[in-house]
Amino acid sequence: MADLDSRPIGVFDSGIGGLTVLKELALQFPHESFLYVGDTARLPYGSKSPQTIRKYSEQIIQFLKKQNVKAIVIACNTASSQVSEKEIDGIPVYNVIEPGSQRALELSSGKRIGVLATRATVNSQAYTNKIHAIDPSAQVFDQACPLFVPLAEEGWDSDPVTNLIVFRYLTPLMQQHIDTLILGCTHYPILKNSIARVTGSSIELVDSGEAIARWLSRDMQSGRLGKNQSGEIRQINIMTTDSSAHFTEMAQRILKPAKADSFAVVDV
């Protein structure tokens, strides 16, 4: 691929969670344009079958391909657990599991890694398998957190109820003496402050957005992914599969200081 490419980078998730990844990418790559798809009509993905998750993901990937994106970021751990391809129809595809796994191993001092994720991601063993493929000596402890996504979607990131639920989910992992914790769902960084209050400063938190930004930067440096240096003003356009004033409000809040240029409802 040429070093220069002004086409947008496609990003998708089932709902608002992937906006935490979009925000990180928008801040790390201030000249790049982005096209985000939130599959709000069919969320959550975490409680659905692997076959359904794969089907929904393929439909959104084909939609993004028609929008002429230069790369696709699967900003959803559940979808990432079902789409392992690094390239589809010539378009680079990035999922969040491999970058997150690698980053956790880089940060972990004792190779005792916790994973917070949806039931679908936990059941897939995607993080455990990827971490062990990189370092078989690492120990992985996972915890399904089905209530985290609705709490994040409601914007209850500072609610006392959220603090209690976070404590309940994290207690088994803390008893395993983990030193690193993967936020294995892109919704979970919205609850990062509540999570950090339980883990304390001694446990490293791995955020999918930060991890995947490193991979995009690497590929831009190597030339696998072209950079936008055309001088055009970058655009951040957000599309959803169902209209929601709440989604728009939450998106504007999550993306700050970045800002969306447009919102639209689409069929995929």
Side-chain angles (χ1 to χ4, degrees):
M1 183 177 287
D3 289 340
L4 301 181
D5 192 337
S6 62
R7 293 179 297 165
I9 296 170
V11 182
F12 80 87
D13 182 31
S14 61
I16 65 170
L19 293 168
T20 63
V21 175
L22 176 62
K23 175 184 178 177
E24 186 66 27
L25 297 179
L27 295 177
Q28 293 293 329
F29 306 104
H31 302 294
E32 297 295 331
S33 291
F34 297 92
L35 176 58
Y36 181 89
V37 175
D39 194 6
T40 50
R42 303 185 292 196
L43 67 79
Y45 281 9
S47 59
K48 293 180 170 61
S49 70
Q51 295 80 8
T52 297
I53 295 163
R54 174 77 191 194
K55 180 179 74 174
Y56 289 174
S57 300
E58 288 176 343
Q59 289 170 348
I60 297 175
I61 288 169
Q62 289 306 310
F63 173 82
L64 287 169
K65 180 186 172 185
K66 292 175 183 176
Q67 309 308 308
N68 196 30
V69 298
K70 64 182 175 185
I72 295 174
V73 174
I74 305 175
C76 172
N77 285 265
T78 302
S80 291
S81 70
Q82 303 304 321
V83 182
S84 59
E85 294 92 331
K86 296 184 183 299
E87 186 175 292
I88 294 177
D89 296 334
I91 300 174
V93 176
Y94 300 85
N95 74 44
V96 290
I97 289 172
E98 190 169 357
S101 298
Q102 187 176 74
R103 184 61 179 156
L105 285 166
E106 291 170 356
L107 293 172
S108 178
S109 57
K111 301 295 185 270
R112 299 182 68 84
I113 299 170
V115 180
L116 298 177
T118 65
R119 282 200 178 103
T121 300
V122 169
N123 290 341
S124 74
Q125 290 291 284
Y127 274 106
T128 300
N129 293 338
K130 182 55 65 176
I131 290 169
H132 284 161
I134 301 170
D135 186 346
S137 69
Q139 292 182 277
V140 184
F141 309 91
D142 50 29
Q143 174 66 51
C145 307
L147 294 178
F148 276 12
V149 169
L151 289 169
E153 289 280 343
E154 284 296 325
W156 287 15
D157 48 294
S158 300
D159 194 276
V161 170
T162 300
N163 294 332
L164 289 171
I165 293 171
V166 168
F167 180 81
R168 181 71 176 268
Y169 281 140
L170 261 64
T171 296
L173 295 181
M174 300 295 289
Q175 292 172 344
Q176 297 294 337
H177 305 292
I178 61 171
D179 57 55
T180 304
L181 180 62
I182 296 173
L183 305 183
C185 171
T186 53
H187 281 77
Y188 296 178
I190 298 171
L191 309 178
K192 197 170 187 177
N193 288 338
S194 292
I195 293 169
R197 275 194 288 271
V198 176
T199 61
S201 59
S202 62
I203 295 177
E204 298 279 359
L205 300 183
V206 177
D207 184 320
S208 299
E210 296 169 359
I212 208 162
R214 291 170 174 263
W215 281 46
L216 265 69
S217 178
R218 175 201 66 189
D219 285 357
M220 285 181 182
Q221 294 300 321
S222 70
R224 179 178 185 243
L225 185 61
K227 301 177 184 178
N228 178 20
Q229 295 178 334
S230 63
E232 297 177 8
I233 297 175
R234 74 105 163 255
Q235 292 280 307
I236 299 177
N237 298 313
I238 295 179
M239 299 178 176
T240 57
T241 54
D242 191 18
S243 61
S244 169
H246 176 70
F247 180 94
T248 302
E249 178 185 340
M250 285 293 295
Q252 292 169 333
R253 176 182 164 192
I254 292 168
L255 286 174
K256 286 181 180 178
K259 184 179 178 182
D261 293 287
S262 71
F263 288 88
V265 180
V266 297
D267 291 320
V268 298

